[in-house]
């Protein structure tokens, strides 16, 4: 083995190059059959050649990965990813060190040609282990197509399980290579607000990439609110769980979004230099002994810094004044303002809108020269608008002030639309919750010549139309002064297009029946006329004239699904898609809705389109609103343009909850004010008048105490606690938590989370409204007494539920004050106690439930025992038959008495489900056994043949019932 040529070929094989002596097989490098190599030398050579095979495979892996990376950069399905590329760079570095070591061995062999093979094997033993481990890692990455977080987890586990120090250092370098890419993404996101993820490997994901320019241009402030709530989210599967926790990943997501908001608000300049220390620590974290601790600490410090900057931004934006104004408008804190509003005559929507304008004018006039607080309220009043948002719209006649027609005309109350004409509802409709929208249309030919003209038109197929149902939330109708060419110019919009046309090639002759093609499509537009088609379908149907076509749109907010039905008899949707309307920039979940008639290119003669009916109905209708007969307030909504950046805390969801508070408190205050102003006439008798005044005093006392509890004990106390928490807060998260706690406290103490109690309050409110109507009409007697009894029962139920909530469920210290006011003299509790005692006395007189159940069941058992001796015994005396029959009859009579007591107990006492079931089961058992006895008594007697001889000997006749 002193041949220099063989040694050089061996050194080339170590670098991954085969030749005449060394050949490559799928299992590795091996020696060609040579007669001059002994078996011992062959074994040494093959052990040495393993590292050469590893070197070749790793070199091929890095070369292939580098080529794919640069050829398919930015393509998620074909690109290996930046993490794998970082790993390949570190593998190449390890291979470069190995190649340098092989060159050193070559120099030693040239100096000392007599070096044995064992020396080479010993020198390369460590490299064989290192490259072998890298080869196994490479195999797993290739076969499992690992990328992103999965690749980082694999490398981390490999480092954790490494044996010797050299192997651990080598694997740590590989982890650092892939982890450095991940750390650079962290720095770009948390410090500069940039999502540098072309291969979609980072755990922060951008949801909408349709308008990449506006997303990455951080100088546009209008995109910040959309980004904060809807644009970015956390990808659970992309979080490297071995490196950071999920809590840390959420901190990273929050910090990046906060940095983008601060950059768009011009409040982040100079922070990059201030955070350079954290950037350097992050970029060197994988060189530390504990990367996880370093990452957690740096991520936490960066989040705290962004939190503090956000809080400073909020405080500069008059957060405290905005919260006070929201309390004044939404929670009826401005007493004089709402007193002026409720002083208007009538409860129609227009009357309330006029009263709102009057109250605003009075507030502005009184704010001149007033305190700073009043001046602040006057400033905010320009941003608050009272608007009518009906939960249902049903139009059969379009000659209405709520309808705006552009480009079309009205005929007999219906709209005739031609191409480039539009019809809009003047008021917004609610689309954030589940809704159903339906419109009916009919094609009307432009020819006025009768059926002959219509037939001629149909013979050439010259008719068709293209309608678009549009929901657009942002562009006000005052800005649309003329019909638009296309709905895409509306900006952010949801459109359902229905194209109805008859093509000429679908008709063979004039007398043949026409066939229509109906195309239904769903589009969304984000602005700048960029539209995305979510779904489309085409139907074929006979064209029957004059036929009314129905288009029905159903949206399920829980499933996030939009379905379109065509035809009045359609039971399955012809077009559907997954869509979450909450991602639209809706104001209070509302949007304008309109119908657009667009040009149809394929039709030579486009007829008029007659819109027959148009209706919108929201599925969400509150029991409170239906039972109180105060639907007017449920359709009124306060719209508030929250100044930036306060929408980060006061979101659209919060505004919807504030509106719920506003509607309920305004309803209660209006009822209490109406009861206070209501005057009873003196035309009735003294006794009736006394009963009316007493009932009015009860109603007025109850609702005044409830309203005082809501406005003073709940709203004032909770809002003051919120103000104290905001003043003492140090971070943005503390302000958010304080506001959420305030909203939750108000919701709880307004009983919005207790539907049964809320329903009883609604019933008491309905009684108050009905009492004013009945008393105004002069009715008395039985109606008044029934209302009073019903009101007392409702109040008892309210107090009972409040006491139950206070004792067992939630901790509600404010509720004690309301209970103390309502039950200050124990009137309702004493009356309830008397009723309970009377009920207990009745139950004791008739028998307790379980005593009656035991008595009836034992009576059934006793009947069965007596009937067994009467009917089933072979030897029985004649006298015993009579005694047993009388005994069964007596037990049946006792059981009937027990059944009577049971029926009286079920009528007079209040039973739960278990007691009712037990009583019914005991009654059924007694009736079943008694019926069996009667049937057996009525059956004819039978004598068994085998007992006939015995009866003749003893002269004792067998019982007539023996069988």
């Amino acid at each position: 083995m002193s041949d220099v040529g063989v040694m050089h070929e061996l050194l080339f094989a170590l670098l991954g190059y085969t030749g005449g002596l060394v050949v490559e097989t799928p299992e590795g490098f091996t020696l060609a059959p040579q007669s001059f190599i002994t078996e011992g030398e062959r074994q040494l050579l093959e052990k040495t050649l393993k590292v050469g095979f590893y070197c070749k495979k790793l070199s091929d892996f890095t070369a292939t990965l580098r080529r794919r990376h640069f050829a398919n950069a930015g393509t998620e399905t074909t690109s290996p990813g930046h993490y794998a590329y970082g790993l390949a760079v570190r593998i190449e570095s390890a291979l470069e060190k190995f190649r340098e070591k092989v060159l050193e061995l070559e120099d030693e062999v040239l100096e000392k040609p007599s070096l044995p093979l064992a020396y080479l094997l010993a020198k390369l033993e460590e490299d064989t282990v290192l490259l072998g481990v890298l080869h196994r890692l490479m195999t797993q990455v290739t076969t499992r197509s690992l990328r992103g977080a999965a690749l980082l987890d694999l490398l981390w586990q490999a480092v954790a399980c490494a044996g010797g120090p050299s192997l651990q250092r080598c694997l740590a370098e590989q982890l650092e290579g892939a982890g450095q890419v991940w750390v650079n993404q962290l720095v770009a996101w948390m410090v500069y607000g940039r999502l540098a993820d072309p291969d979609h490997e980072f755990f922060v994901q951008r949801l909408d990439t349709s308008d990449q320019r506006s997303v990455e241009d951080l100088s546009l402030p209008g995109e910040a609110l959309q980004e904060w709530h809807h644009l970015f989210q956390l990808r659970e599967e992309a979080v490297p769980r071995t490196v950071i926790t999920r809590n840390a990943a959420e901190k990273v997501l929050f910090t990046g979004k906060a940095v983008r908001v601060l950059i768009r608000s011009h409040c982040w300049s100079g922070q990059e230099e201030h955070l350079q220390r954290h950037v350097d620590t992050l970029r060197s974290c994988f060189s530390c002994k504990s990367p996880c601790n370093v990452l957690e600490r740096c991520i936490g410090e960066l989040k705290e810094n962004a939190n503090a900057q956000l809080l400073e931004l909020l405080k500069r934006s008059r957060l405290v004044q905005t919260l006070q104004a929201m309390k004044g408008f939404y929670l009826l804190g401005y007493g004089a303002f709402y007193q002026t509003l409720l002083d208007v005559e009538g409860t129609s929507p227009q009357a309330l809108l006029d009263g709102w304008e009057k109250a605003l004018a009075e507030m502005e006039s009184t704010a001149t020269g007033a305190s700073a607080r009043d001046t602040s309220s006057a400033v905010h009043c320009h941003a608050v608008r009272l608007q009518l948002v009906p939960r249902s719209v049903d139009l059969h006649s379009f000659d209405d002030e709520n309808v705006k027609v552009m480009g079309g005309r009205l005929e007999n109350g219906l709209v005739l639309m031609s191409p480039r004409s539009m019809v809009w509802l003047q008021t917004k409709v609610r689309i954030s919750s589940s809704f159903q929208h339906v419109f009916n249309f009919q094609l009307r030919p432009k020819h006025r010549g009768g059926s002959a003209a219509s037939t001629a038109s149909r013979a050439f197929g010259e008719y068709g139309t293209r309608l678009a149902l549009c929901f657009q939330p942002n562009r006000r109708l005052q800005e649309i002064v003329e019909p638009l060419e296309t709905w895409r110019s509306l900006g952010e919009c949801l459109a359902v297009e229905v194209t109805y046309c008859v093509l000429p090639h679908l008709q063979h002759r004039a007398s043949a029946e026409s066939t229509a093609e109906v195309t239904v499509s769903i589009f969304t537009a984000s602005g700048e006329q960029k539209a995305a088609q979510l779904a489309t379908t085409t139907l074929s149907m006979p064209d029957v004239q004059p036929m009314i076509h129905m288009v029905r749109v159903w949206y399920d907010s829980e499933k996030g699904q939009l379905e379109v039905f065509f035809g009045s008899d359609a039971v399955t949707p012809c077009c559907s898609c997954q869509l979450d309307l909450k991602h639209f920039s809706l104001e209070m979940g509302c949007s304008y809705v309109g119908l657009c008639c667009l040009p149809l290119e394929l039709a030579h003669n486009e007829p008029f389109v007659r819109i027959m009916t148009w209706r919108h109905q929201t599925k969400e209708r509150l029991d409170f609103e239906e039972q109180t007969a105060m639907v007017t307030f449920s359709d009124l909504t306060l719209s508030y343009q929250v100044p930036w950046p306060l929408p980060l805390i006061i979101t659209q969801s919060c505004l919807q909850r504030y509106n719920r508070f506003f509607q309920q408190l305004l309803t209660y205050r209006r009822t209490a004010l109406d009861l206070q102003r209501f005057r009873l006439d003196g035309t009735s008798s003294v006794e009736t008048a006394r009963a009316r005044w007493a009932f009015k005093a009860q109603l007025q006392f109850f609702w005044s105490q409830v309203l005082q509890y809501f406005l003073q004990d709940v709203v004032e106390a909770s809002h003051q606690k919120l103000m104290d928490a905001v003043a003492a807060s140090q971070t943005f998260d503390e302000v958010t938590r304080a506001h959420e706690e305030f909203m939750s406290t108000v919701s709880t103490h307004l009983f919005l989370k207790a539907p049964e109690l809320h329903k009883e309050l609604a019933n008491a409110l309905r009684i108050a409204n009905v009492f004013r109507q009945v008393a105004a009409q002069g009715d008395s007697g039985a109606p008044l007494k029934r209302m009073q009894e019903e009101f007392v029962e409702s109040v008892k139920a309210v107090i009972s539920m409040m006491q139950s909530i206070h004792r067992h469920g939630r901790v509600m210290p404010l509720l004690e004050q309301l209970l103390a006011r309502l039950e200050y003299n124990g009137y309702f509790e004493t009356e309830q106690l008397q009723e309970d005692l009377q009920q207990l006395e009745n139950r004791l007189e008739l028998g307790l439930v379980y005593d009656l159940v035991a008595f009836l069941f034992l009576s059934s058992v006793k009947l069965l025992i007596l009937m067994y001796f009467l009917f089933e015994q072979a030897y029985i005396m004649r006298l015993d038959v009579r005694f047993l029959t009388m005994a069964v009859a007596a037990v049946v009579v006792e059981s009937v008495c027990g059944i009577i007591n049971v029926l009286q107990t079920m009528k007079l006492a209040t039973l739960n489900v278990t007691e009712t079931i037990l009583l019914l089961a005991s009654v059924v058992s007694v009736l079943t056994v008694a019926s069996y006895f009667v049937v057996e008594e009525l059956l004819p007697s039978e004598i068994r043949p085998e007992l006939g001889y015995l009866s003749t000997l003893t002269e004792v006749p067998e019982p007539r019932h023996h069988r």
Side-chain angles (χ1 to χ4, degrees):
M1 285 300 301
S2 59
D3 190 357
V4 179
V6 174
M7 188 62 68
H8 274 283
E9 187 169 352
L10 176 60
L11 292 174
F12 274 110
L14 292 176
L15 297 177
Y17 302 100
T18 58
L21 179 62
V22 180
V23 295
E24 182 180 358
T25 63
E27 291 78 15
F29 287 170
T30 185
L31 296 176
Q34 299 291 340
S35 58
F36 59 86
I37 297 178
T38 63
E39 186 63 26
E41 292 174 342
R42 178 181 293 275
Q43 292 179 2
L44 287 175
L45 286 173
E46 289 180 349
K47 288 182 180 180
T48 307
L49 290 175
K50 286 183 179 180
V51 67
F53 177 74
Y54 296 151
C55 179
K56 182 178 185 305
K57 290 298 182 182
L58 290 173
S59 299
D60 295 341
F61 168 72
T62 56
T64 303
L65 194 144
R66 182 184 289 271
R67 183 176 62 255
R68 289 178 55 202
H69 174 73
F70 288 104
N72 304 305
T75 306
E76 183 180 0
T77 55
T78 58
S79 174
H82 280 66
Y83 294 12
Y85 178 74
L87 172 64
V89 171
R90 292 307 176 99
I91 291 178
E92 288 179 347
S93 177
L95 292 177
E96 189 64 27
K97 293 179 181 179
F98 171 71
R99 294 188 183 102
E100 292 177 358
K101 192 170 186 179
V102 172
L103 292 178
E104 293 176 359
L105 283 177
E106 184 182 15
D107 294 339
E108 293 182 10
V109 169
L110 292 177
E111 291 179 3
K112 298 178 181 180
S114 60
L115 287 176
L117 288 176
Y119 176 78
L120 296 179
L121 182 62
K123 292 286 288 185
L124 297 175
E125 182 178 2
E126 181 178 347
D127 296 280
T128 304
V129 174
L130 295 180
L131 295 186
V133 172
L134 293 179
H135 179 262
R136 288 196 293 273
L137 286 176
M138 179 267 296
T139 304
Q140 292 190 47
V141 172
T142 304
T143 55
R144 296 166 56 186
S145 300
L146 296 180
R147 59 198 315 272
L151 180 58
L152 282 178
D153 290 339
L154 174 66
L155 295 175
W156 184 277
Q157 293 171 2
V159 173
C161 299
S166 59
L167 178 59
Q168 190 170 12
R169 283 194 301 271
C170 177
L171 293 176
E173 291 178 358
Q174 313 308 312
L175 174 62
E176 186 177 359
Q180 194 64 41
V181 179
W182 181 74
V183 168
N184 290 337
Q185 290 177 330
L186 273 182
V187 172
W189 174 250
M190 300 183 69
V191 179
Y192 301 99
R194 303 286 182 179
L195 185 58
D197 187 22
D199 296 320
H200 307 284
E201 297 177 293
F202 197 48
F203 55 82
V204 175
Q205 179 187 14
R206 181 185 293 115
L207 295 180
D208 184 13
T209 58
S210 58
D211 196 357
Q212 188 80 11
R213 183 191 62 82
S214 62
V215 170
E216 293 303 328
D217 188 2
L218 298 182
S219 63
L220 302 176
E223 300 291 335
L225 183 60
Q226 184 72 10
E227 288 181 4
W228 180 265
H229 294 295
H230 305 300
L231 190 59
F232 298 100
Q233 73 173 9
L234 194 68
R235 292 173 55 199
E236 298 283 347
E237 68 278 3
V239 178
R241 298 304 177 93
T242 56
V243 182
I244 62 171
T245 61
R246 190 185 186 282
N247 187 25
E250 291 179 349
K251 292 180 180 179
V252 171
L253 175 64
F254 172 85
T255 305
K257 294 195 300 183
V259 169
R260 293 177 70 91
V261 168
L262 292 169
I263 292 176
R264 292 187 186 274
S265 303
H266 308 289
C267 299
W268 191 248
S269 58
Q271 290 295 321
E272 293 86 350
E273 294 79 7
H274 175 69
L275 300 175
Q276 188 60 42
R277 178 177 60 87
H278 298 287
V279 173
D280 297 338
T281 304
L282 277 176
R283 287 176 173 166
S284 61
C285 66
F286 283 100
S287 302
C288 304
K289 293 184 178 180
S290 181
C292 293
N293 292 335
V294 175
L295 284 170
E296 292 280 348
R297 186 180 70 253
C298 289
I299 289 174
E301 292 175 355
L302 289 174
K303 180 180 183 293
E304 291 177 0
N305 179 72
N307 240 331
Q309 295 296 325
L310 272 182
L311 181 61
E312 290 297 325
L313 178 62
L314 292 178
K315 289 184 176 180
R316 289 198 299 267
S317 304
R318 303 170 62 89
L319 172 63
V320 175
Q321 292 82 355
T322 302
L323 291 176
Q324 290 176 349
M326 294 196 66
K327 176 217 170 186
F329 283 108
Y330 283 94
L331 302 178
L332 277 60
Y334 297 149
F337 175 84
Y338 280 101
Q339 188 70 27
T340 305
L341 173 64
L342 296 177
D343 281 341
V344 297
E345 296 182 1
T347 59
S348 63
Q350 189 59 43
L352 292 174
L353 293 177
D354 296 339
W356 180 268
E357 297 298 331
K358 180 180 177 182
L360 286 180
E362 183 176 334
M363 175 179 286
E364 292 178 1
S365 62
T366 55
T368 306
S371 62
R373 178 180 177 181
D374 295 334
T375 306
S376 174
S377 64
V379 171
H380 284 86
C381 73
H382 294 287
V384 181
R385 293 183 296 108
L386 183 67
Q387 58 184 3
L388 178 65
V389 182
R391 298 182 181 272
S392 62
V393 177
D394 194 355
L395 293 176
H396 294 273
S397 175
F398 293 83
D399 190 7
D400 193 303
E401 60 180 7
N402 194 29
V403 179
K404 182 178 182 180
V405 181
M406 292 182 291
R409 70 172 189 267
L410 293 176
E411 184 180 89
N412 298 327
L414 303 180
V415 179
L416 285 180
M417 300 181 67
S418 59
R420 298 179 180 86
S421 61
M422 309 176 77
V423 181
W424 290 93
L425 286 179
Q426 297 278 22
T427 59
K428 289 186 175 182
V429 295
R430 196 175 306 276
I431 64 173
S432 59
S433 56
S434 299
F435 68 87
Q436 179 176 261
H437 198 98
V438 181
F439 68 92
N440 296 323
F441 70 93
Q442 182 185 34
L443 297 183
R444 174 182 168 181
K446 291 184 178 180
H447 301 286
R448 294 282 186 174
S451 61
S454 177
T455 304
S457 175
R458 293 182 58 191
F460 292 99
E462 296 178 349
Y463 67 95
T465 188
R466 181 179 168 207
L467 292 173
L469 175 66
C470 304
F471 299 91
Q472 62 91 13
N474 299 324
R475 191 167 180 179
R476 296 188 179 181
L477 297 184
Q478 292 79 359
E479 303 174 5
I480 307 175
V481 296
E482 59 183 8
L484 304 175
E485 291 289 336
T486 175
W487 55 264
R488 289 174 172 83
S489 57
L490 292 172
E492 186 179 18
C493 181
L494 167 67
V496 178
E497 277 196 8
V498 179
T499 304
Y500 186 97
C501 65
V502 178
L503 302 180
H505 69 273
L506 295 178
Q507 305 178 34
H508 303 288
R509 57 185 184 273
S511 60
E513 182 180 359
S514 303
T515 303
E517 276 192 358
V518 182
T519 302
V520 181
S521 305
I522 303 174
F523 296 90
T524 57
S526 58
E528 300 181 3
Q529 296 192 4
K530 293 183 178 180
Q533 181 174 298
L534 303 181
T536 184
T537 187
T538 301
L539 308 174
S540 295
M541 60 179 59
D543 177 51
V544 181
Q545 291 293 332
M547 184 175 183
I548 299 176
H549 305 281
M550 173 186 286
V551 178
R552 180 163 57 96
V553 179
W554 165 253
Y555 175 67
D556 192 337
S557 59
E558 297 180 357
K559 299 179 181 179
Q561 188 172 13
L562 184 71
E563 298 177 343
V564 182
F565 301 79
F566 186 84
S568 58
D569 57 346
V571 294
T572 58
C574 62
C575 191
S576 63
C577 67
Q578 293 294 324
L579 180 65
D580 190 358
L581 291 180
K582 295 179 182 178
H583 291 168
F584 281 70
S585 55
L586 302 176
E587 182 183 6
M588 299 301 303
C590 303
S591 170
Y592 290 106
V593 60
L595 282 171
C596 305
C597 187
L598 306 175
L600 185 61
E601 298 176 356
L602 297 179
H604 302 287
N605 180 21
E606 299 184 15
F608 288 111
V609 180
R610 180 188 283 119
I611 306 300
M612 309 298 292
T613 60
W614 195 13
R615 62 180 180 270
H616 177 93
Q617 184 175 3
T618 306
K619 181 181 177 182
E620 179 187 1
R621 292 197 62 86
L622 305 177
D623 294 337
F624 169 75
E625 299 160 359
E626 293 178 352
Q627 293 185 7
T628 56
M630 300 289 286
V631 186
T632 302
F633 291 160
S634 69
D635 290 340
L636 290 177
T637 302
L638 280 184
S639 173
Y640 181 38
Q641 298 295 331
V642 184
W644 175 257
L646 300 183
L648 301 179
I649 294 180
I650 308 172
T651 63
Q652 286 295 319
S653 175
C654 292
L655 289 178
Q656 292 182 13
R657 295 170 68 183
Y658 270 113
N659 263 288
R660 184 76 184 278
F661 303 156
F662 164 73
Q663 293 167 0
Q664 180 172 344
L665 291 176
L666 187 62
T667 303
Y668 289 156
R669 181 160 182 175
R670 181 58 181 264
T671 301
L673 187 61
D674 289 344
L675 287 173
Q676 181 181 358
R677 295 175 176 177
F678 183 65
R679 294 291 181 265
L680 296 173
D681 56 9
T683 59
S684 58
S685 61
V686 176
E687 183 178 356
T688 303
R690 187 179 300 169
R692 287 184 180 181
W693 281 103
F695 188 32
K696 179 193 172 184
Q698 287 182 344
L699 291 171
Q700 191 171 348
F701 169 76
F702 177 78
W703 282 115
S704 62
Q705 297 304 318
V706 171
L707 187 62
Q708 181 182 358
Y709 165 73
F710 286 153
L711 295 181
Q712 294 184 5
D713 300 341
V714 177
V715 173
E716 288 291 339
S718 301
H719 194 267
Q720 184 59 43
K721 183 179 179 181
L722 172 63
M723 291 294 99
D724 296 340
V726 170
S729 60
Q730 300 295 327
T731 61
F732 174 82
D733 285 343
E734 293 179 2
V735 176
T736 304
R737 282 195 298 269
H739 186 253
E740 286 296 327
E741 183 180 356
F742 166 73
M743 299 284 290
S744 178
T745 301
V746 174
S747 298
T748 301
H749 286 82
L750 291 183
F751 311 120
L752 297 180
K753 298 181 179 180
E756 295 182 356
L757 178 56
H758 197 62
K759 184 177 180 180
E760 290 296 334
L761 284 174
N763 188 37
L765 194 63
R766 178 187 59 82
I767 294 173
N769 294 327
V770 173
F771 165 74
R772 289 191 298 107
Q773 298 175 4
V774 172
Q777 296 174 0
D779 294 336
S780 60
L784 182 63
K785 185 176 181 181
R786 285 197 303 268
M787 282 191 294
Q788 191 169 11
E789 292 176 354
E790 188 177 356
F791 174 73
V792 171
E793 291 298 327
S794 296
V795 174
K796 289 179 183 178
V798 167
I799 294 177
S800 176
M801 293 178 188
M802 288 181 180
Q803 291 175 346
S804 177
I805 292 175
H806 182 65
R807 286 194 304 264
H808 302 99
R810 310 156 186 162
V811 179
M812 299 175 63
L814 301 178
L815 195 57
E816 294 182 3
Q817 304 176 24
L818 178 60
L819 289 173
R821 295 194 193 105
L822 294 178
E823 273 292 307
Y824 70 96
N825 59 354
Y827 171 76
F828 294 104
E829 186 176 358
T830 303
E831 188 171 349
Q832 183 66 32
L833 181 60
Q834 292 177 357
E835 290 183 0
D836 294 341
L837 291 175
Q838 182 64 32
Q839 185 176 1
L840 180 61
E841 182 179 353
N842 294 335
R843 296 180 67 176
L844 290 175
E845 181 181 355
L846 299 173
L848 297 177
V849 173
Y850 296 105
D851 296 341
L852 291 173
V853 170
F855 172 75
L856 291 180
F857 275 122
L858 291 177
S859 298
S860 302
V861 173
K862 188 175 182 180
L863 284 174
L864 289 174
I865 294 173
L866 293 176
M867 290 168 62
Y868 172 76
F869 287 110
L870 181 60
F871 299 133
E872 300 297 330
Q873 286 295 306
Y875 305 101
I876 187 169
M877 305 300 293
R878 181 185 298 272
L879 191 58
D880 292 339
V881 174
R882 296 180 180 178
F883 287 157
L884 288 174
T885 303
M886 294 172 59
V888 170
V891 174
V892 169
V893 172
E894 290 180 353
S895 301
V896 171
C897 296
I899 292 175
I900 295 174
N901 286 345
V902 166
L903 296 178
Q904 293 179 348
T905 301
M906 295 179 66
K907 181 179 180 181
L908 299 177
T910 302
L911 305 176
N912 54 33
V913 178
T914 303
E915 293 174 345
T916 304
I917 293 176
L918 289 176
L919 287 175
L920 292 177
S922 61
V923 171
V924 170
S925 65
V926 170
L927 293 178
T928 303
V929 176
S931 301
Y932 178 74
F933 169 72
V934 173
V935 170
E936 286 291 337
E937 282 289 335
L938 296 178
L939 285 177
S941 301
E942 296 181 2
I943 300 177
R944 296 179 182 176
E946 59 271 17
L947 298 179
Y949 178 70
L950 180 60
S951 62
T952 56
L953 293 178
T954 58
E955 295 183 356
V956 178
E958 187 181 1
R960 57 189 179 90
H961 299 287
H962 194 79
R963 308 173 68 172

